[in-house]
Amino acid sequence: MRYFTIGCIAPILVLISINISLADIGIIVAFNSNLEQIKKSLKIKEISKNAGREFYSGKINNIDVVLVRSPMGKVNNAITAQALLSHYPVTSVVSIAPAGSINKGLNIGDIIIATEVFQHDFGTIKPYGFIWSRVPDGTNRDEPGYNLADKRLRNLALLYANNKKKTKNRIIEGIIVTGDQFISAQNKKEWLFKKFKAMAVDMGAGAIAQVCYANRVSFCILRIITDKAKIGARINFEKSIPGYQSDIDILKFIKGILQKNAKQKIACG
């Protein structure tokens, strides 16, 4: 009887393990407009709440997805990312949010795929000014740690960018810096470029990247430019809140990454 019981349980355990190992993609968005846009393409199976966030689990084009909106700020984004990774079997995270441009060549509506992320507001205030320090993440200073974005997911995003129809706005790679500050000052903008060679600045990428790194989950950071991070930036940003001012179809962009990610995983077995 004991062997019969083990024989019955074993296949169930195998099925459970297969189900748990399903390659889900977690999508974190900042704007309600993005949330509603992606929800329309998501065949929702379950809506659940964790850490004050509402999570939508389902499928987009037969690909398992968990969708959530995160309030702005590093702590808020860290809470969202950790709740996502703690309660759902995701193997990759895609983050979509606004950012201010630091590079002069960027325009409102352009999309940045992060190559690296840094938290620009971590450091020490000395009598003679601010001294930046790298956020401790358990690695040595000569190791990339959480700062380096996943190359495979970046390449998938670039594949879509290279194959998309020609648009006024561009999709390019670059460094993104994060801080709990809305930047609207030219001198700060110049410092961010000089210190980090940053393309754009936001309030969440660094936090999401650090949480993903700590959990050994790959991540892709996409940032849509909403303002120029100088005087008048707040007005431009508020215009973008109902929906990004971009001629790039963001939903198609996300679907393209999801499909290429699924095909690559199937090809790898």
Side-chain angles (χ1 to χ4, degrees), residues 80-147:
T80 304
Q82 189 58 61
L84 172 66
L85 299 183
S86 294
H87 294 96
Y88 305 91
V90 300
T91 57
S92 301
V93 170
V94 176
S95 168
I96 311 156
S101 69
I102 299 301
N103 187 290
K104 293 178 181 178
L106 290 177
N107 293 311
I108 291 173
D110 288 343
I111 297 180
I112 311 300
I113 305 165
T115 53
E116 294 179 272
V117 291
F118 296 94
Q119 296 178 47
H120 68 76
D121 57 351
F122 188 88
T124 305
I125 301 292
K126 298 279 190 179
Y128 47 83
F130 174 69
I131 306 299
W132 179 81
S133 298
R134 175 177 154 173
V135 174
D137 61 5
T139 59
N140 295 324
R141 289 191 173 273
D142 58 347
E143 295 176 322
Y146 82 91
N147 303 103

Coordinates of all heavy atoms in Angstrom, one line a residue, residues 80-147:
T80 N 7.0 46.6 -4.8 CA 6.3 46.0 -5.9 C 7.0 44.9 -6.5 O 6.5 43.8 -6.7 CB 6.0 47.1 -7.0 OG1 5.3 48.2 -6.4 CG2 5.1 46.4 -8.1
A81 N 8.3 45.1 -6.8 CA 9.2 44.1 -7.4 C 9.3 42.8 -6.5 O 9.2 41.7 -6.9 CB 10.5 44.6 -7.7
Q82 N 9.5 43.1 -5.2 CA 9.7 41.9 -4.3 C 8.4 41.2 -4.1 O 8.4 39.9 -4.0 CB 10.2 42.4 -2.9 CG 10.6 41.2 -2.0 CD 11.7 40.3 -2.6 OE1 12.8 40.8 -2.9 NE2 11.4 39.1 -2.8
A83 N 7.3 41.9 -4.0 CA 5.9 41.2 -3.9 C 5.7 40.4 -5.1 O 5.2 39.2 -5.0 CB 4.8 42.2 -3.7
L84 N 6.0 40.9 -6.3 CA 5.9 40.1 -7.5 C 6.7 38.8 -7.5 O 6.2 37.7 -7.8 CB 6.3 41.0 -8.7 CG 6.4 40.3 -10.1 CD1 5.1 39.9 -10.6 CD2 7.1 41.3 -11.1
L85 N 8.0 39.0 -7.1 CA 8.9 37.8 -7.2 C 8.6 36.8 -6.0 O 8.9 35.6 -6.2 CB 10.3 38.3 -7.1 CG 10.8 39.2 -8.2 CD1 12.3 39.5 -8.1 CD2 10.5 38.6 -9.6
S86 N 8.1 37.3 -4.9 CA 7.8 36.4 -3.8 C 6.5 35.6 -4.0 O 6.4 34.5 -3.4 CB 7.7 37.2 -2.5 OG 8.9 37.8 -2.1
H87 N 5.6 36.1 -4.7 CA 4.3 35.4 -4.8 C 3.9 34.8 -6.2 O 2.9 34.1 -6.3 CB 3.1 36.4 -4.4 CG 3.2 36.9 -3.0 ND1 3.8 38.0 -2.6 CD2 2.7 36.3 -1.9 CE1 3.7 38.2 -1.3 NE2 3.1 37.1 -0.8
Y88 N 4.8 35.1 -7.2 CA 4.5 34.6 -8.5 C 5.7 34.0 -9.2 O 6.8 34.5 -9.0 CB 3.9 35.7 -9.4 CG 2.7 36.4 -8.8 CD1 2.9 37.5 -7.9 CD2 1.4 35.9 -8.9 CE1 1.8 38.1 -7.3 CE2 0.3 36.5 -8.3 CZ 0.6 37.6 -7.5 OH -0.5 38.2 -6.8
P89 N 5.6 32.9 -9.9 CA 6.7 32.2 -10.5 C 7.3 32.8 -11.7 O 7.4 32.2 -12.8 CB 6.2 30.8 -10.8 CG 4.7 31.1 -11.2 CD 4.3 32.2 -10.3
V90 N 7.7 34.1 -11.6 CA 8.3 34.8 -12.8 C 9.8 34.5 -12.9 O 10.5 34.5 -11.9 CB 8.0 36.3 -12.7 CG1 6.5 36.6 -12.7 CG2 8.6 37.0 -11.6
T91 N 10.2 34.4 -14.1 CA 11.7 34.2 -14.3 C 12.3 35.5 -15.0 O 13.5 35.5 -15.0 CB 11.9 33.0 -15.3 OG1 11.2 33.2 -16.5 CG2 11.4 31.7 -14.6
S92 N 11.5 36.4 -15.4 CA 12.0 37.7 -16.0 C 11.0 38.8 -15.6 O 9.8 38.6 -15.5 CB 12.1 37.6 -17.5 OG 13.0 36.5 -17.9
V93 N 11.6 40.0 -15.5 CA 10.7 41.2 -15.2 C 11.0 42.2 -16.3 O 12.1 42.5 -16.7 CB 11.1 41.7 -13.9 CG1 10.4 43.1 -13.7 CG2 10.6 40.8 -12.8
V94 N 9.9 42.8 -16.8 CA 10.0 43.9 -17.7 C 9.4 45.1 -17.1 O 8.2 45.1 -16.6 CB 9.3 43.7 -19.1 CG1 9.3 44.9 -20.0 CG2 9.9 42.5 -19.8
S95 N 10.1 46.2 -17.0 CA 9.6 47.4 -16.3 C 9.4 48.6 -17.3 O 10.3 48.8 -18.1 CB 10.6 47.9 -15.2 OG 10.3 49.2 -14.8
I96 N 8.2 49.2 -17.3 CA 7.9 50.3 -18.3 C 7.5 51.5 -17.4 O 6.5 51.4 -16.6 CB 6.7 49.9 -19.2 CG1 7.0 48.5 -19.8 CG2 6.5 50.9 -20.3 CD1 5.7 47.8 -20.2
A97 N 8.2 52.6 -17.6 CA 7.9 53.8 -16.8 C 8.4 55.0 -17.5 O 9.2 54.9 -18.5 CB 8.5 53.6 -15.4
P98 N 8.1 56.2 -17.0 CA 8.6 57.5 -17.6 C 10.0 57.8 -17.1 O 10.5 57.3 -16.1 CB 7.6 58.5 -17.1 CG 7.1 57.9 -15.7 CD 7.1 56.5 -15.9
A99 N 10.6 58.7 -17.9 CA 11.9 59.1 -17.5 C 12.2 60.5 -18.1 O 11.5 60.9 -19.1 CB 13.0 58.2 -17.9
G100 N 13.1 61.3 -17.5 CA 13.5 62.5 -18.1 C 14.8 62.3 -18.9 O 15.6 61.5 -18.5
S101 N 14.9 63.0 -20.0 CA 16.1 62.9 -20.8 C 17.3 63.6 -20.2 O 17.1 64.8 -19.8 CB 15.8 63.3 -22.2 OG 15.7 64.7 -22.3
I102 N 18.4 63.0 -20.2 CA 19.7 63.6 -19.8 C 20.5 63.9 -21.1 O 21.2 65.0 -21.2 CB 20.5 62.7 -18.8 CG1 19.7 62.5 -17.6 CG2 21.8 63.4 -18.5 CD1 19.3 63.7 -16.8
N103 N 20.5 63.0 -22.0 CA 21.3 63.2 -23.2 C 20.5 64.2 -24.1 O 19.3 64.1 -24.3 CB 21.4 61.8 -24.0 CG 22.3 61.9 -25.2 OD1 21.9 62.5 -26.2 ND2 23.4 61.3 -25.1
K104 N 21.3 65.1 -24.7 CA 20.7 66.2 -25.5 C 20.0 65.7 -26.7 O 19.1 66.3 -27.3 CB 21.8 67.2 -25.9 CG 22.3 68.0 -24.7 CD 23.4 69.0 -25.2 CE 24.0 69.7 -24.0 NZ 25.1 70.7 -24.4
G105 N 20.4 64.5 -27.2 CA 19.9 64.0 -28.5 C 18.5 63.3 -28.3 O 17.9 62.9 -29.3
L106 N 18.0 63.2 -27.1 CA 16.8 62.5 -26.9 C 15.6 63.4 -27.0 O 15.7 64.6 -26.5 CB 16.8 61.8 -25.5 CG 17.7 60.6 -25.3 CD1 17.6 60.1 -23.9 CD2 17.3 59.5 -26.3
N107 N 14.5 62.9 -27.5 CA 13.3 63.7 -27.6 C 12.1 63.0 -26.8 O 12.2 61.8 -26.5 CB 12.8 63.8 -29.1 CG 13.8 64.6 -29.9 OD1 14.2 65.7 -29.5 ND2 14.2 64.1 -31.0
I108 N 11.1 63.8 -26.4 CA 10.0 63.2 -25.8 C 9.3 62.2 -26.6 O 9.1 62.4 -27.8 CB 8.9 64.3 -25.4 CG1 9.5 65.3 -24.4 CG2 7.6 63.8 -25.0 CD1 8.7 66.5 -24.1
G109 N 9.1 61.0 -26.1 CA 8.5 59.9 -26.8 C 9.6 58.8 -27.2 O 9.2 57.7 -27.5
D110 N 10.9 59.1 -27.1 CA 11.9 58.1 -27.4 C 11.9 57.1 -26.2 O 11.5 57.4 -25.1 CB 13.3 58.8 -27.5 CG 13.5 59.6 -28.7 OD1 12.7 59.4 -29.7 OD2 14.4 60.4 -28.8
I111 N 12.3 55.9 -26.5 CA 12.4 54.8 -25.5 C 13.8 54.4 -25.3 O 14.6 54.1 -26.3 CB 11.5 53.6 -26.0 CG1 10.0 54.0 -26.0 CG2 11.7 52.4 -25.0 CD1 9.1 52.9 -26.5
I112 N 14.2 54.3 -24.0 CA 15.6 53.8 -23.7 C 15.5 52.4 -23.1 O 14.7 52.1 -22.2 CB 16.2 54.8 -22.6 CG1 16.1 56.2 -23.0 CG2 17.7 54.4 -22.4 CD1 16.7 56.6 -24.3
I113 N 16.3 51.5 -23.7 CA 16.5 50.2 -23.1 C 17.8 50.3 -22.2 O 18.9 50.6 -22.7 CB 16.8 49.1 -24.2 CG1 15.6 49.2 -25.2 CG2 16.9 47.8 -23.6 CD1 15.9 48.4 -26.5
A114 N 17.6 50.0 -20.9 CA 18.8 50.2 -20.0 C 19.9 49.2 -20.3 O 19.6 48.0 -20.3 CB 18.3 50.1 -18.6
T115 N 21.1 49.7 -20.4 CA 22.3 48.8 -20.4 C 22.8 48.7 -19.0 O 23.2 47.6 -18.6 CB 23.4 49.5 -21.3 OG1 23.6 50.8 -20.9 CG2 23.0 49.5 -22.8
E116 N 22.8 49.8 -18.3 CA 23.2 49.8 -16.8 C 22.2 50.7 -16.1 O 21.6 51.7 -16.7 CB 24.6 50.3 -16.7 CG 25.7 49.4 -17.2 CD 27.1 50.0 -17.0 OE1 27.5 50.8 -17.9 OE2 27.7 49.7 -16.0
V117 N 22.1 50.5 -14.8 CA 21.3 51.4 -13.9 C 22.1 51.7 -12.7 O 22.9 50.9 -12.2 CB 20.0 50.8 -13.5 CG1 19.1 50.6 -14.7 CG2 20.2 49.4 -12.9
F118 N 22.0 53.0 -12.2 CA 22.7 53.4 -11.0 C 21.7 54.3 -10.2 O 20.8 54.9 -10.7 CB 23.9 54.3 -11.3 CG 25.0 53.6 -12.1 CD1 25.0 53.6 -13.5 CD2 25.9 52.9 -11.4 CE1 26.0 53.0 -14.2 CE2 27.0 52.2 -12.1 CZ 27.0 52.2 -13.5
Q119 N 21.8 54.2 -8.9 CA 21.1 55.1 -8.0 C 21.9 56.3 -7.7 O 22.8 56.2 -6.9 CB 20.7 54.3 -6.7 CG 19.8 53.1 -7.0 CD 19.4 52.3 -5.8 OE1 19.0 52.8 -4.8 NE2 19.5 51.0 -5.9
H120 N 21.5 57.4 -8.3 CA 22.3 58.6 -8.3 C 22.3 59.4 -6.9 O 23.1 60.2 -6.7 CB 22.0 59.5 -9.4 CG 20.6 60.2 -9.3 ND1 20.3 61.2 -8.4 CD2 19.4 59.9 -9.9 CE1 19.1 61.6 -8.5 NE2 18.5 60.8 -9.4
D121 N 21.3 59.1 -6.1 CA 21.1 59.9 -4.8 C 21.7 59.2 -3.6 O 21.4 59.6 -2.5 CB 19.7 60.2 -4.6 CG 18.8 59.0 -4.6 OD1 19.2 57.9 -4.8 OD2 17.6 59.2 -4.2
F122 N 22.5 58.1 -3.8 CA 23.1 57.4 -2.6 C 24.5 57.9 -2.4 O 25.3 57.9 -3.3 CB 23.1 55.9 -2.9 CG 23.5 55.1 -1.7 CD1 22.6 54.6 -0.8 CD2 24.8 54.7 -1.5 CE1 22.9 53.9 0.3 CE2 25.2 54.0 -0.4 CZ 24.2 53.5 0.5
G123 N 24.7 58.4 -1.2 CA 26.1 58.9 -0.9 C 26.1 59.7 0.4 O 25.3 59.5 1.3
T124 N 27.1 60.6 0.5 CA 27.3 61.4 1.7 C 27.3 62.8 1.4 O 27.9 63.3 0.4 CB 28.7 61.0 2.3 OG1 28.8 59.6 2.5 CG2 29.0 61.7 3.6
I125 N 26.7 63.6 2.2 CA 26.7 65.1 2.1 C 27.9 65.6 2.9 O 27.9 65.5 4.1 CB 25.4 65.7 2.5 CG1 24.2 65.2 1.7 CG2 25.5 67.3 2.4 CD1 24.2 65.6 0.3
K126 N 28.9 66.2 2.3 CA 30.0 66.8 2.9 C 29.9 68.3 3.0 O 29.0 68.8 2.2 CB 31.3 66.4 2.1 CG 31.6 64.9 2.1 CD 32.3 64.4 3.3 CE 32.8 63.0 3.2 NZ 33.5 62.6 4.4
P127 N 30.7 69.0 3.8 CA 30.6 70.4 3.8 C 30.8 71.1 2.4 O 30.3 72.1 2.1 CB 31.7 70.9 4.8 CG 31.8 69.7 5.7 CD 31.6 68.5 4.8
Y128 N 31.6 70.4 1.6 CA 31.9 70.9 0.3 C 31.0 70.3 -0.8 O 31.2 70.6 -2.0 CB 33.4 70.7 -0.1 CG 33.8 69.2 0.2 CD1 33.6 68.2 -0.7 CD2 34.4 68.9 1.4 CE1 34.0 66.9 -0.4 CE2 34.9 67.7 1.7 CZ 34.7 66.6 0.8 OH 35.1 65.4 1.1
G129 N 30.0 69.5 -0.5 CA 29.1 69.0 -1.5 C 28.8 67.5 -1.3 O 29.1 66.9 -0.3
F130 N 28.1 66.9 -2.3 CA 27.6 65.6 -2.3 C 28.7 64.6 -2.9 O 29.2 64.9 -4.0 CB 26.3 65.5 -3.1 CG 25.8 64.0 -3.3 CD1 25.3 63.3 -2.2 CD2 25.8 63.4 -4.6 CE1 24.9 62.0 -2.4 CE2 25.4 62.2 -4.7 CZ 24.9 61.4 -3.7
I131 N 29.0 63.5 -2.2 CA 29.9 62.5 -2.6 C 29.1 61.2 -2.9 O 28.5 60.6 -2.0 CB 31.0 62.2 -1.6 CG1 31.7 63.5 -1.2 CG2 32.0 61.2 -2.2 CD1 32.4 64.2 -2.3
W132 N 29.0 60.9 -4.2 CA 28.2 59.7 -4.6 C 28.9 58.4 -4.2 O 30.2 58.3 -4.2 CB 28.0 59.7 -6.1 CG 27.2 58.5 -6.5 CD1 25.8 58.3 -6.5 CD2 27.7 57.3 -7.1 NE1 25.5 57.1 -7.0 CE2 26.6 56.4 -7.4 CE3 29.0 56.8 -7.4 CZ2 26.8 55.2 -7.9 CZ3 29.2 55.6 -8.0 CH2 28.0 54.8 -8.2
S133 N 28.1 57.4 -3.8 CA 28.7 56.1 -3.5 C 27.8 55.0 -4.2 O 26.6 55.2 -4.4 CB 28.7 55.8 -2.0 OG 29.5 56.7 -1.3
R134 N 28.4 53.9 -4.5 CA 27.6 52.8 -5.1 C 26.8 52.1 -4.0 O 27.3 51.9 -2.9 CB 28.6 51.8 -5.8 CG 27.9 50.6 -6.3 CD 28.9 49.7 -7.0 NE 28.4 48.3 -7.0 CZ 29.0 47.3 -7.6 NH1 30.1 47.6 -8.4 NH2 28.6 46.1 -7.5
V135 N 25.6 51.8 -4.3 CA 24.7 51.1 -3.3 C 25.3 49.7 -3.0 O 25.5 48.9 -4.0 CB 23.3 51.0 -3.9 CG1 22.4 50.1 -2.9 CG2 22.7 52.4 -4.0
P136 N 25.4 49.3 -1.8 CA 25.9 48.0 -1.5 C 24.9 46.9 -1.9 O 23.7 47.0 -1.6 CB 26.0 47.9 0.1 CG 26.0 49.4 0.5 CD 25.2 50.1 -0.6
D137 N 25.4 45.9 -2.7 CA 24.5 44.8 -3.2 C 25.1 43.5 -3.0 O 24.7 42.5 -3.6 CB 24.1 45.1 -4.6 CG 25.4 45.0 -5.6 OD1 26.5 44.8 -5.1 OD2 25.2 45.3 -6.8
G138 N 26.2 43.4 -2.1 CA 26.8 42.1 -1.8 C 27.9 41.7 -2.8 O 28.5 40.7 -2.6
T139 N 28.3 42.6 -3.7 CA 29.3 42.3 -4.7 C 30.5 43.3 -4.4 O 30.3 44.3 -3.8 CB 28.9 42.5 -6.1 OG1 28.4 43.8 -6.3 CG2 27.8 41.5 -6.4
N140 N 31.7 42.9 -4.9 CA 32.8 43.8 -4.8 C 32.7 45.0 -5.8 O 31.9 44.9 -6.8 CB 34.1 43.1 -5.2 CG 34.4 41.9 -4.2 OD1 34.2 42.1 -3.0 ND2 34.9 40.8 -4.7
R141 N 33.4 46.1 -5.5 CA 33.2 47.3 -6.3 C 33.6 47.1 -7.7 O 33.2 47.9 -8.6 CB 34.0 48.4 -5.6 CG 33.4 48.9 -4.4 CD 34.0 50.2 -3.9 NE 33.2 50.7 -2.7 CZ 32.2 51.5 -2.8 NH1 31.7 51.9 -4.0 NH2 31.6 51.9 -1.7
D142 N 34.5 46.1 -8.0 CA 34.9 45.9 -9.4 C 34.0 44.9 -10.1 O 34.3 44.6 -11.3 CB 36.4 45.4 -9.4 CG 36.6 44.1 -8.6 OD1 35.7 43.7 -7.9 OD2 37.6 43.5 -8.8
E143 N 33.0 44.5 -9.5 CA 32.0 43.6 -10.1 C 30.8 44.4 -10.5 O 30.4 45.4 -9.9 CB 31.6 42.5 -9.2 CG 32.7 41.5 -8.8 CD 32.3 40.5 -7.8 OE1 31.6 40.8 -6.9 OE2 32.8 39.3 -8.0
P144 N 30.1 44.0 -11.6 CA 28.9 44.8 -12.1 C 27.7 44.8 -11.1 O 27.0 45.8 -11.0 CB 28.5 44.1 -13.4 CG 29.1 42.8 -13.3 CD 30.3 42.9 -12.5
G145 N 27.5 43.7 -10.4 CA 26.4 43.7 -9.4 C 25.1 43.9 -10.1 O 24.8 43.5 -11.3
Y146 N 24.2 44.6 -9.4 CA 22.8 44.8 -9.9 C 22.8 45.8 -11.1 O 21.8 46.0 -11.8 CB 21.9 45.3 -8.8 CG 22.0 46.8 -8.6 CD1 21.2 47.7 -9.2 CD2 22.9 47.3 -7.7 CE1 21.3 49.1 -9.0 CE2 23.0 48.7 -7.4 CZ 22.2 49.6 -8.1 OH 22.3 50.9 -7.9
N147 N 23.9 46.6 -11.2 CA 23.9 47.7 -12.2 C 23.7 47.2 -13.6 O 23.2 48.0 -14.5 CB 25.2 48.5 -12.1 CG 25.4 49.0 -10.7 OD1 26.2 48.4 -9.9 ND2 24.7 50.0 -10.3

